[in-house]
Amino acid sequence: MSLRVISGSARGRKLKSVPGDTTRPITDRAKEALFNILAGDVVESTWWDLFAGTGAVGIEALSRGASRVRFSDLNRAPIETIKWNLDHCNFSAKADIRRGDAFSMLAVKPDKQFEFIYIAPPQFKEMWSRALLALDENPGWMTDTGWAIAQMAPKEYRELDLANLEEVDQRKYGSTLLVFYELKES
């Protein structure tokens, strides 16, 4: 699959893929739909691309005016790919790159709050639900008006029993399901 930035200041830039089959890049169709839903809310927002892979979602956010994006991934190859893609798009200064386990990162005391936390781990391993449950236990990572967005194959989806987050929407684009969560009103 050819990866590219769809819109914004880096529009048309081709992104490098992570070697092998350990990542699952978002399709252009699903990425475009996601950013059409978020529209102007992306400008000056902060993001955490949790299982970043190539960094395509966070880079798209930066291209569309996000102020800062944290990229995290467990393995060296995705981290190196993210660094290359950020440099290629001239966004390195607006990025915070962290290598480590997403579940461990979500479990610690938040050092920052994000308007958007994008959760797109490898498929069929229940990692999206584990990450969402971890975020639900430690919701301080999100701003009061923030959204967590989980990307999965439609057949992976299941309702979760959440204490602090609630599902507010879901959209299917081919073989991709995007599920949106926000903090419950207290």
Side-chain angles (χ1 to χ4, degrees):
M1 172 187 335
S2 175
L3 296 170
R4 65 185 176 96
V5 180
I6 296 171
S7 188
S9 63
R11 180 181 179 169
R13 294 275 173 110
K14 292 189 179 190
L15 302 177
K16 191 176 184 183
S17 294
V18 176
D21 61 358
T22 58
T23 62
R24 168 183 51 135
I26 189 170
T27 64
D28 279 356
R29 181 178 173 205
K31 185 168 49 171
E32 188 166 12
L34 168 66
F35 284 95
N36 285 342
I37 292 166
L38 303 179
D41 291 340
V42 175
V43 176
E44 293 301 315
S45 64
T46 55
W47 286 66
W48 185 358
D49 194 346
L50 188 61
F51 296 88
T54 63
V57 170
I59 289 170
E60 188 73 34
L62 289 168
S63 184
R64 293 174 185 243
S67 63
R68 190 134 189 97
V69 177
R70 175 174 292 173
F71 296 87
S72 59
D73 207 287
L74 178 60
N75 298 309
R76 183 188 55 76
I79 293 295
E80 294 303 317
T81 301
I82 292 164
K83 287 178 182 176
W84 189 93
N85 286 336
L86 285 164
D87 189 49
H88 178 65
C89 294
N90 298 315
F91 291 138
S92 297
K94 294 182 175 187
D96 170 22
I97 304 168
R98 304 210 177 171
R99 181 176 175 193
D101 178 73
F103 308 109
S104 298
M105 289 181 193
L106 285 168
V108 300
K109 184 178 184 216
D111 64 340
K112 180 167 187 47
Q113 288 190 309
F114 300 93
E115 278 91 12
F116 299 100
I117 299 177
Y118 195 76
I119 302 168
Q123 296 185 130
F124 308 115
K125 297 182 180 180
E126 285 294 317
M127 293 172 77
W128 76 270
S129 59
R130 284 181 53 210
L132 210 55
L133 290 166
L135 180 59
D136 187 60
E137 289 177 16
N138 199 1
W141 286 109
M142 294 173 63
T143 63
D144 291 342
T145 58
W147 279 7
I149 304 158
Q151 174 192 328
M152 69 201 75
K155 64 183 178 180
E156 279 185 275
Y157 174 78
R158 65 182 175 88
E159 283 190 32
L160 299 176
D161 185 20
L162 302 168
N164 296 299
L165 299 172
E166 64 183 338
E167 182 180 325
V168 293
D169 196 6
Q170 60 175 261
R171 308 281 177 98
K172 185 179 174 203
Y173 303 97
S175 62
T176 301
L177 179 66
L178 298 174
V179 185
F180 299 81
Y181 298 86
E182 65 183 15
L183 290 172
K184 290 180 180 176
E185 293 195 26
S186 19

